[in-house]
Amino acid sequence: MKNLGILLSGRGSNFEAIANHVAAGKIPGARIAVVISNKPDAGGLTTAKKLGLTVLAIPSKGLAREEHDRAVVAALKEHKVDLVCLAGYMRLLSPWFVQQFPRRILNIHPSLLPAFPGLEAQEQAFAYGVKVSGCTVHFVDEELDHGPIIVQKAVTVLDSDDEHTLAARILEQEHIAYSEAIRIVLEGKYQVVGRKLVRAVTAK
Ligand code: GAR
């Protein structure tokens, strides 16, 4: 059994989708060992508690980045986490944090990276006038929204869209993409060549 550690800062809909998929056996061999938030009032923590999961609030306010990261990493290690999933975790990880879990930290971002990294990606894409956007699940490295891509899902921008309707359709795809990426990583049948995740070809 592989232990997932979820880090979130907000409403936690991506976390909830992962939790539902785990409960439905759609991410074989995975369990959620701990859900951690830097925001004690995050909606995702309330959901996690309702689901009976182990929940921790480790407030980041007033702490230096690495001091906070040390507390989070200690908690992840205490719960024997194999794979860290950032699910709307609105903090940049220190290089030290990233080095503690080499190629074992995933992030989801609501754009087709490398387009529109950073905050409010859906609004950025909408304002730019793109015709296609989407979401990306990627390994976390030391740069923002940057590591090798595991899964991307495209979403067509409709003439009738505003940034909210577009963000809602991207979010639907996020909820599918994240579990798919976790499955790929836990299965382990891939190599990362340069920036490229190459999946092993399975004989039929
Ligand atoms: C999601 O759209 C996620 O892609 C985004 O925050 C939202 C969290 O929603 N993350 C980023 O922008 C990271 N750069 P959720 O709390 O409902 O999962």
Side-chain angles (χ1 to χ4, degrees):
M1 201 45 98
K2 293 287 183 192
N3 286 329
L4 306 181
I6 310 276
L7 302 189
L8 54 81
S9 302
R11 94 197 128 170
S13 73
N14 274 290
F15 146 65
E16 213 176 330
I18 294 167
N20 289 338
H21 286 141
V22 167
K26 290 181 180 160
I27 312 181
R31 63 182 280 271
I32 297 177
V34 66
V35 180
I36 301 175
S37 180
N38 63 315
K39 301 272 185 205
D41 57 355
L45 282 189
T46 313
T47 311
K49 268 184 222 155
K50 278 193 198 139
L51 293 173
L53 296 170
T54 303
V55 162
L56 280 176
I58 305 180
S60 47
K61 215 173 164 187
L63 293 188
R65 183 172 314 283
E66 197 155 325
E67 204 180 345
H68 181 254
D69 281 0
R70 282 189 189 277
V72 173
V73 167
L76 292 169
K77 291 197 168 163
E78 193 186 317
H79 289 89
K80 306 208 170 353
V81 165
D82 300 293
L83 186 65
V84 181
C85 301
L86 310 186
Y89 187 61
M90 295 317 210
R91 270 179 82 73
L92 206 58
L93 303 188
S94 61
W96 176 81
F97 189 145
V98 176
Q99 285 152 20
Q100 300 311 300
F101 294 92
R103 290 267 155 81
R104 290 277 131 188
I105 309 175
L106 310 189
N107 181 45
I108 186 149
H109 185 74
S111 75
L112 293 176
L113 289 172
F116 312 116
L119 292 176
E120 296 174 350
Q122 309 94 325
E123 287 83 348
Q124 290 185 56
F126 184 78
Y128 198 88
V130 299
K131 300 297 185 197
V132 179
S133 191
C135 63
T136 304
V137 185
H138 63 94
F139 288 109
V140 171
D141 67 8
E142 283 148 28
E143 288 174 56
L144 176 69
D145 299 329
H146 178 267
I149 291 169
I150 306 161
V151 170
Q152 286 188 308
K153 301 269 180 208
V155 171
T156 302
V157 182
L158 307 175
D159 288 341
S160 56
D161 268 331
D162 60 28
E163 64 261 47
H164 305 292
T165 55
L166 176 61
R169 287 208 315 291
I170 292 174
L171 192 62
E172 278 175 26
Q173 294 304 310
E174 291 185 45
H175 294 166
I176 300 166
Y178 215 151
S179 295
E180 211 173 295
I182 294 170
R183 269 198 307 271
I184 291 171
V185 172
L186 291 185
E187 244 179 41
K189 293 181 185 155
Y190 65 89
Q191 280 183 299
V192 180
V193 184
R195 283 198 49 87
K196 244 180 236 167
L197 182 136
V198 183
R199 297 184 68 184
V201 182
T202 43
K204 291 232 168 111

